[in-house]
Every structure is written in structure tokens, then in C-alpha cells.
């Protein structure tokens, strides 16, 4: 059967992708950010996951105000890097795992979560930057990736509680897949940031670190945070953190913290990153 071996969370700042793509990762501003992923790169090279179930948000690249799915699962064979206005990032095409993705889709929809099925979409920095942070700059991504897009761009976003419950249903679905696969689940986006309006530039280190503590040790409490608290405390884009709860919901209550990293600033936000071994 498929096994969920670990959960990974990380921010997805687009400027991190640009720093890598333009060869600026050793510059003093960026070096401390990438240093926080040295352990992670060594760790994942040994773990060799077969599939990453990657929870992320699209930033009006694949979707637009014409069509706004709350939860969308990528069931296609491949997903190309999106052109976000400066040309597509020079990173490999993402290869999906249609068989597992359809299995999860069936299981989760039958468990009463209404997913949108996507066979064709481009993937933006929300998905490619986490891959770059964890795998560096390979010729091809070393595993299959199932993209799972969450609407946190257009109000109303799904609640943290709904995301956490959905994570549980996704975990159950993966564990019931009849192939021996090493699967990781990643939750991406965050941490506190606001890109617009009078509070643009907001970063709340205290909220971020409390959220990391709760996510590791008391995810039920983290899941009870109402969406308005993310917006008030972590800024309008801080709501991206609800995606980390999908990752946490798919893991067991007991986890082992393998790595924790927090750094401010990176562009307009704080970079947070966790690696949780499933089952503690
Ligand atoms: C920034 C962060 C994001 O999450 C995003 O989607 C775009 C920009 C930033 O920090 O600049
Ligand atoms: Fe974002």
C-alpha cells in the first residue's frame, strides 16, 4: 500500500525562484534563505519519495476570476511551468501520477469533499518555488507530483477547519492506494504577509512562530483559528497558511519534527519551513 512518510511545509515567495534562476542565491540577502534548506535537500535525496502530493495556490495563472475552484486536483500526465508575466521559469515540466490522483479524487469526493478535477493546467511559483527549494535545480524533477490547488486568492477562502478535515480524507485516500509508494505531502505558501493596501509589508513573527508550534504539537487548535484571525494577524496573504493544515491533517497526530526554519525577510514575507516525519 502507499505510505505517507513525511509532511513538508514551506513558503513559496516568487523572488526566491527569480534569485535561483538568475544565479543570485549566494548573494548576502538570499544566502541565509537557501541555507535553511541545506538539511532539507540532503534529507530528501535520501528519502527519495515516489510521489509528492503538493498543496499550493494558483495566483491567477491557471485560473482567473472567470473560474475559481476552491479545491482543484491535478489528474493530468504533466503540468507546464506557467508564464507569470516574465516568461515561464526555466524549470522542468512537472510529471503527475494520474492513477493515484484519480484514486484520491474518487475517495475524497465519496467522503463528501467536492473537488474540481483538472486534466490540464500550468503551475505557477506557488508550486515550482517549493520544488526548487527542496530539490535545487535538477534537469528533471526526481519524483511525480500531484498538484492540489486551493483558492486563497479570491474571498471567501476555505476555513482552516475544512482544510484540516480535507487533509484527513486525503491521508485516508493515499493510504488505501494499492501500490507500494513512498508519498510525501507538502503544504505551501505563507507565512505572514500582505502585498496590498495600507498594511502592505506586514510581517508578524510572533503569530508565525505560534502557528508553527501549534501545527507541530496541537494541530486541532491550529485548525480552530478563524480565517479573520489570519487576515488580522498575518495579513491578507497570510491566509495562505490554511494550506499547511491540509498537509498536517493527512499526517498522524504524532509526528517527529526533523527540521524547523524561520527567516525574515524574503521579499515581502517570512520564510517558514518544517519537515515532519509521519508517525513520530
Ligand atoms: C510574495 C509572496 C507571495 O506569496 C506571493 O504569492 C507573491 C509575492 C512576496 O513576498 O513578494
Ligand atoms: Fe503567494
Amino acid at each position: 500500500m502507499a505510505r505517507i512518510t513525511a509532511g513538508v511545509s514551506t513558503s513559496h515567495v516568487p523572488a526566491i525562484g527569480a534569485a535561483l534562476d538568475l544565479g543570485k542565491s549566494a548573494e548576502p540577502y538570499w544566502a541565509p534563505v537557501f541555507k535553511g534548506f541545506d538539511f532539507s535537500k540532503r534529507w530528501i535525496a535520501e528519502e527519495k519519495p515516489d510521489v509528492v502530493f503538493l498543496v499550493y495556490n494558483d495566483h491567477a495563472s491557471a485560473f482567473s476570476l472567470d473560474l475559481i475552484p476552491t479545491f482543484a486536483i491535478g489528474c493530468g500526465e504533466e503540468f507546464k511551468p506557467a508564464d507569470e508575466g516574465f516568461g515561464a521559469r526555466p524549470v522542468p515540466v512537472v510529471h503527475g501520477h494520474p492513477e493515484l490522483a484519480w484514486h484520491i479524487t474518487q475517495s475524497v469526493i465519496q467522503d463528501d469533499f467536492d473537488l474540481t478535477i483538472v486534466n490540464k493546467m500550468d503551475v505557477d511559483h506557488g508550486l515550482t518555488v517549493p520544488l526548487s527549494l527542496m530539490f535545487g535545480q535538477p534537469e528533471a524533477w526526481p519524483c511525480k507530483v500531484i498538484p492540489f490547488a486551493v483558492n486563497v486568492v479570491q474571498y471567501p477562502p476555505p476555513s482552516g477547519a475544512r482544510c484540516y478535515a480535507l487533509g484527513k480524507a486525503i491521508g485516508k485516500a493515499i493510504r488505501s492506494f494499492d501500490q507500494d509508494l513512498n508519498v510525501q505531502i507538502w503544504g505551501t505558501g505563507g507565512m505572514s504577509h500582505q502585498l496590498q493596501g495600507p498594511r502592505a509589508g506586514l510581517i508578524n513573527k510572533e503569530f508565525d512562530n505560534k502557528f508553527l508550534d501549534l501545527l507541530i504539537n496541537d494541530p486541532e487548535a491550529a485548525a480552530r483559528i478563524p480565517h479573520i484571525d489570519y487576515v488580522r494577524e498575518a495579513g491578507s496573504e497570510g491566509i495562505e497558511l490554511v494550506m499547511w493544515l491540509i498537509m498536517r491533517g493527512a499526517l498522524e497526530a504524532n509526528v517527529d519534527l526533523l527540521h524547523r526554519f524561520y527567516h525574515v525577510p524574503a521579499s515581502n514575507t517570512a520564510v517558514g519551513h518544517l519537515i515532519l516525519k509521519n508517525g513520530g
Side-chain angles (χ1 to χ4, degrees):
M1 303 302 271
R3 291 160 290 125
I4 304 176
T5 54
V8 173
S9 65
T10 173
S11 308
H12 65 212
V13 191
I16 291 177
L20 264 180
D21 300 343
L22 300 172
K24 295 184 175 175
S25 54
E27 289 187 359
Y29 182 86
W30 290 111
V33 174
F34 291 104
K35 200 163 171 357
F37 290 80
D38 283 350
F39 168 86
S40 318
K41 289 204 197 75
R42 288 196 304 274
W43 170 81
I44 206 159
E46 283 182 12
E47 288 290 308
K48 295 190 179 53
D50 299 302
V51 185
V52 168
F53 187 91
L54 204 159
V55 182
Y56 77 109
N57 71 291
D58 178 76
H59 301 75
S61 305
F63 307 122
S64 70
L65 292 182
D66 289 347
L67 179 81
I68 308 165
T70 300
F71 299 116
I73 184 163
C75 292
E77 290 281 356
E78 62 170 42
F79 306 92
K80 295 197 172 66
D83 182 348
E84 298 180 60
F86 304 93
R89 286 193 63 213
V91 291
V93 166
V94 170
H95 291 279
H97 196 305
E99 212 184 330
L100 176 56
W102 276 103
H103 168 85
I104 294 168
T105 301
Q106 157 146 343
S107 176
V108 167
I109 290 178
Q110 295 293 317
D111 272 341
D112 304 334
F113 291 91
D114 306 313
L115 307 185
T116 297
I117 297 163
V118 186
N119 291 312
K120 187 169 187 292
M121 68 176 168
D122 292 345
V123 286
D124 72 10
H125 70 270
L127 184 131
T128 62
V129 166
L131 286 175
S132 297
L133 282 168
M134 292 300 293
F135 291 123
Q137 294 171 291
E139 286 285 307
W141 299 122
C143 62
K144 311 272 191 188
V145 176
I146 298 175
F148 190 88
V150 179
N151 169 42
V152 286
V153 168
Q154 171 61 48
Y155 188 87
S159 69
R162 178 106 179 124
C163 288
Y164 186 62
L166 171 60
K168 289 189 182 215
I170 290 168
K172 175 182 156 199
I174 293 172
R175 288 190 300 272
S176 66
F177 186 60
D178 190 12
Q179 278 182 29
D180 180 26
L181 292 176
N182 174 351
V183 181
Q184 290 184 0
I185 180 156
W186 295 10
T188 65
M191 297 203 77
S192 56
H193 60 306
Q194 170 138 353
L195 302 175
Q196 57 198 302
R199 296 201 309 162
L202 176 147
I203 289 177
N204 185 341
K205 288 187 197 175
E206 208 182 318
F207 177 91
D208 288 341
N209 280 289
K210 177 91 189 302
F211 184 81
L212 293 173
D213 292 342
L214 286 180
L215 197 75
I216 299 161
N217 298 316
D218 192 357
E220 306 276 335
R224 284 194 295 271
I225 300 172
H227 85 268
I228 198 69
D229 283 16
Y230 290 97
V231 178
R232 282 202 185 110
E233 301 288 328
S236 51
E237 277 67 46
I239 191 68
E240 288 180 345
L241 284 171
V242 293
M243 296 185 288
W244 295 30
L245 284 160
I246 298 179
M247 176 276 283
R248 190 63 181 90
L251 302 178
E252 289 171 34
N254 230 2
V255 292
D256 231 1
L257 175 64
L258 298 185
H259 185 53
R260 176 172 175 161
F261 174 65
Y262 184 77
H263 176 82
V264 176
S267 191
N268 300 292
T269 183
V271 172
H273 172 41
L274 295 176
I275 301 181
L276 303 175
K277 180 170 184 251
N278 200 14

